[in-house]
Amino acid sequence: MDETIIKELISKSVSAKKHAYCKYSNFPVGAALLCEDGTIYTGCNIENVAYSSICAEQTAIAKAVSEGHTKFKAIAVSSNQTENVISPCGPCRQYLFGGDWDVIMTKPDMTYTMMKTSELLPLGFVQNPFLPTAKK
Amino acid sequence: MDETIIKELISKSVSAKKHAYCKYSNFPVGAALLCEDGTIYTGCNIENVAYSSICAEQTAIAKAVSEGHTKFKAIAVSSNQTENVISPCGPCRQYLFGGDWDVIMTKPDMTYTMMKTSELLPLGFVQNPFLPTAKK
Amino acid sequence: MDETIIKELISKSVSAKKHAYCKYSNFPVGAALLCEDGTIYTGCNIENVAYSSICAEQTAIAKAVSEGHTKFKAIAVSSNQTENVISPCGPCRQYLFGGDWDVIMTKPDMTYTMMKTSELLPLGFVQNPFLPTAKK
Amino acid sequence: MDETIIKELISKSVSAKKHAYCKYSNFPVGAALLCEDGTIYTGCNIENVAYSSICAEQTAIAKAVSEGHTKFKAIAVSSNQTENVISPCGPCRQYLFGGDWDVIMTKPDMTYTMMKTSELLPLGFVQNPFLPTAKK
Ligand SMILES: [Zn+2]
Ligand SMILES: [Zn+2]
Ligand SMILES: [Zn+2]
Ligand SMILES: [Zn+2]
């Protein structure tokens, strides 16, 4: 990964945070997803009036896939949390899993930790229970 | 709701279906969401390599909110299911809940049933457990 | 439904609330589920250190099914909310859907509203996208 | 962890599989959870008529917590998958996260891989967005 594109992704993930709809948690998160063809999609967390919410990472992926993109190279994630980099939650790690691409987890001071999607879900579950071929 | 805009929403929800990523279920769903200012966002269902998926309705809402829209007038939903109109799942009804706007549930022959978001979740839960004011 | 069993279910759902693990929301919920053979399973809401939680209704159903019960007659739900009866969230309505049995939604003063599972999810989605027969 | 208790947990997770309600995936999973006081709770996966399901690990935890247990020492997970050990999905890893205890991931031949809950969610998210203290 080129440092210039990493910086661009981080910067876009920071901007995406401003649309976060998180009046319950007051914990805005932004994400910027780089597709294989170079297109970048951004996302923010969207909290629901009830128990569930959509994470920034999921929003970015949903936007990309609904526009026809299914191969990704990297995603940057930003929050206002200063002590640790913001890392994807368990459900998001499952969404990101498959392929093996870069997750750039940042702090507000723009420092970051980069890990592969597979490293974030060690021994990740590849066999799909809903896959027709799993049903024999 | 004007019949012209209903037809446009239905038509866009049908088109949105083509990006559905549903290789496990082979059950594509499309949605078209009308924001209060007239902007339309589309979405499709996105299935995950493991247990969870994002519905077409959630994709459309995530796209709209991440672009700064939070007030909606109507959403059309389409699938290939011929016997009954396609209706939102329970989780989606919770996402759509709040405000009271129109859900246009269609069949492939373009016929539809229209209900209010509140009618789809009777006695819907308004009190939010995560709301600070609920914590006294 | 016999009034005696309704009262017993309500009473057990109130007791089940005391095990609620809800330090984030401080909104305890309890449920009591009546199986077809008369067995009663209770549940409470269990909040997670991160974004997701298991509702009282889901806990009760999970306990029952994991002990071999899959047919239900009624479920009572209790909370500390005084203005409205506590009603199942959208995701729970989807879990309860199938069959057509009674949901007893209560207030702390023991008054209640009773509705069928199908009434709580009008036009509920029966066709399962993961069902092999849906895949033609 | 004593090898005797590991074997008992594995054996109980295998037995728990028989109550799996998984007619859509035909992929039964069982779990056995050891609480700090020595009590063991079992669970199986429970698939829903629609998009969501409860995993075996979540079922076991929900049972334990709803009976008053909130501290755990180990969980064993079993499936019929022969090529790889069965590992928890992303959402379950988030549920298991917090504390630092053992996850015993097995194959049908009773061989297993054991990892800590923290190792399964590296850089796991500790800061809770719903935590009151996060709301300043
Ligand atoms: Zn997430
Ligand atoms: Zn849905
Ligand atoms: Zn619920
Ligand atoms: Zn799981």
Side-chain angles (χ1 to χ4, degrees):
Chain A
M1 287 283 298
D2 184 75
E3 192 65 26
T4 313
I5 181 69
I6 290 178
K7 286 221 157 62
E8 185 185 354
L9 287 174
I10 293 177
S11 164
K12 288 196 166 162
S13 72
V14 170
S15 300
K17 243 187 348 186
K18 72 167 180 278
H19 287 307
Y21 187 77
C22 57
K23 59 180 175 176
Y24 305 123
S25 71
N26 198 22
F27 192 88
V29 181
L33 175 70
L34 176 65
C35 301
E36 214 164 70
D37 72 349
T39 316
I40 294 175
Y41 285 91
T42 60
C44 57
N45 56 327
I46 298 171
E47 287 170 8
N48 180 255
V49 81
Y51 301 83
S52 38
S53 66
I54 304 182
C55 291
E57 300 93 321
Q58 290 178 37
T59 299
I61 287 184
K63 286 166 80 170
V65 175
S66 71
E67 307 287 338
H69 300 266
T70 56
K71 307 241 167 178
F72 310 115
K73 289 172 86 170
I75 190 167
V77 192
S78 293
S79 80
N80 297 336
Q81 174 179 280
T82 53
E83 279 154 63
N84 300 294
V85 297
I86 177 79
S87 72
C89 72
C92 278
R93 291 179 193 212
Q94 192 71 62
Y95 276 105
L96 302 176
F97 193 74
D100 200 18
W101 41 290
D102 293 308
V103 182
I104 303 154
M105 300 167 282
T106 75
K107 283 190 197 178
D109 64 6
M110 298 297 188
T111 57
Y112 65 89
T113 299
M114 188 157 71
M115 288 175 74
K116 292 283 178 192
T117 53
S118 60
E119 290 175 307
L120 288 172
L121 202 75
L123 289 182
F125 195 55
V126 252
Q127 168 75 330
N128 191 298
F130 296 125
L131 201 61
T133 55
K135 295 192 180 175
K136 41 206 154 149
Chain B
M1 287 284 299
D2 183 76
E3 191 66 27
T4 313
I5 181 69
I6 290 177
K7 286 220 156 60
E8 184 185 353
L9 288 174
I10 293 178
S11 164
K12 288 197 164 160
S13 73
V14 170
S15 300
K17 244 189 346 186
K18 72 168 181 280
H19 287 307
Y21 187 76
C22 56
K23 58 179 177 177
Y24 305 122
S25 71
N26 199 21
F27 192 88
V29 182
L33 175 70
L34 176 65
C35 301
E36 214 165 70
D37 71 349
T39 316
I40 294 175
Y41 285 91
T42 59
C44 57
N45 57 328
I46 298 171
E47 287 169 9
N48 180 255
V49 81
Y51 301 83
S52 39
S53 66
I54 304 182
C55 291
E57 300 93 320
Q58 290 177 38
T59 299
I61 287 184
K63 287 166 81 169
V65 174
S66 72
E67 307 286 339
H69 300 266
T70 56
K71 308 240 166 177
F72 311 115
K73 290 171 86 170
I75 190 166
V77 192
S78 293
S79 80
N80 296 336
Q81 175 178 280
T82 53
E83 279 153 65
N84 300 295
V85 297
I86 178 79
S87 72
C89 71
C92 278
R93 292 178 193 213
Q94 192 71 62
Y95 275 105
L96 302 177
F97 194 74
D100 201 19
W101 40 289
D102 293 308
V103 182
I104 302 154
M105 299 168 282
T106 75
K107 283 191 198 179
D109 63 7
M110 297 296 189
T111 57
Y112 65 88
T113 299
M114 188 157 70
M115 289 174 74
K116 292 282 177 192
T117 52
S118 60
E119 292 174 306
L120 288 172
L121 202 75
L123 288 183
F125 194 55
V126 251
Q127 169 76 330
N128 190 298
F130 296 125
L131 201 62
T133 55
K135 295 190 179 176
K136 42 206 152 155
Chain C
M1 286 284 298
D2 184 74
E3 191 65 26
T4 313
I5 181 68
I6 290 178
K7 286 222 157 59
E8 184 185 354
L9 287 174
I10 293 178
S11 164
K12 289 198 164 160
S13 72
V14 170
S15 300
K17 244 189 345 186
K18 73 166 181 279
H19 287 307
Y21 187 78
C22 57
K23 59 179 176 176
Y24 306 122
S25 71
N26 198 24
F27 192 88
V29 181
L33 175 70
L34 176 65
C35 301
E36 213 164 70
D37 72 349
T39 316
I40 294 175
Y41 285 91
T42 60
C44 56
N45 56 328
I46 298 170
E47 287 169 9
N48 180 257
V49 82
Y51 300 83
S52 37
S53 65
I54 303 181
C55 291
E57 300 93 319
Q58 291 177 38
T59 299
I61 287 184
K63 287 166 81 169
V65 174
S66 72
E67 307 287 338
H69 300 267
T70 56
K71 308 238 166 179
F72 312 114
K73 290 172 85 169
I75 190 166
V77 192
S78 293
S79 80
N80 296 336
Q81 175 178 281
T82 52
E83 280 154 64
N84 300 294
V85 296
I86 177 79
S87 72
C89 70
C92 278
R93 292 179 192 212
Q94 191 71 62
Y95 274 105
L96 302 176
F97 194 73
D100 200 19
W101 41 290
D102 292 308
V103 182
I104 303 154
M105 300 168 282
T106 75
K107 283 191 198 179
D109 63 7
M110 296 298 188
T111 57
Y112 65 89
T113 300
M114 188 157 71
M115 289 175 74
K116 292 283 177 193
T117 52
S118 60
E119 292 175 305
L120 288 172
L121 203 75
L123 289 181
F125 194 56
V126 251
Q127 169 77 330
N128 190 298
F130 297 125
L131 202 62
T133 54
K135 295 191 178 173
K136 45 205 153 156
Chain D
M1 288 283 299
D2 184 76
E3 191 66 26
T4 313
I5 181 68
I6 290 177
K7 286 221 156 60
E8 184 185 353
L9 287 174
I10 293 177
S11 164
K12 289 198 164 160
S13 72
V14 170
S15 300
K17 243 188 350 185
K18 72 165 181 280
H19 288 307
Y21 187 77
C22 56
K23 59 179 176 177
Y24 306 122
S25 71
N26 198 22
F27 192 88
V29 181
L33 175 70
L34 176 65
C35 300
E36 213 164 70
D37 71 350
T39 317
I40 294 174
Y41 286 91
T42 59
C44 58
N45 56 329
I46 298 171
E47 287 169 8
N48 179 256
V49 81
Y51 300 83
S52 39
S53 65
I54 303 182
C55 292
E57 300 93 320
Q58 291 177 38
T59 298
I61 286 184
K63 287 166 80 169
V65 175
S66 72
E67 307 287 338
H69 300 266
T70 56
K71 307 240 167 178
F72 311 114
K73 290 172 86 169
I75 190 167
V77 191
S78 293
S79 80
N80 296 337
Q81 174 178 282
T82 53
E83 280 153 64
N84 300 294
V85 297
I86 177 79
S87 72
C89 70
C92 278
R93 292 179 193 212
Q94 192 72 60
Y95 275 105
L96 303 176
F97 194 73
D100 200 19
W101 42 290
D102 292 308
V103 182
I104 303 153
M105 300 168 282
T106 74
K107 283 190 198 178
D109 64 6
M110 297 297 188
T111 58
Y112 65 88
T113 299
M114 188 158 69
M115 289 175 74
K116 292 284 177 191
T117 51
S118 59
E119 291 175 307
L120 288 172
L121 202 76
L123 290 181
F125 194 55
V126 253
Q127 168 77 330
N128 190 300
F130 296 126
L131 202 61
T133 55
K135 295 191 178 173
K136 46 211 150 144

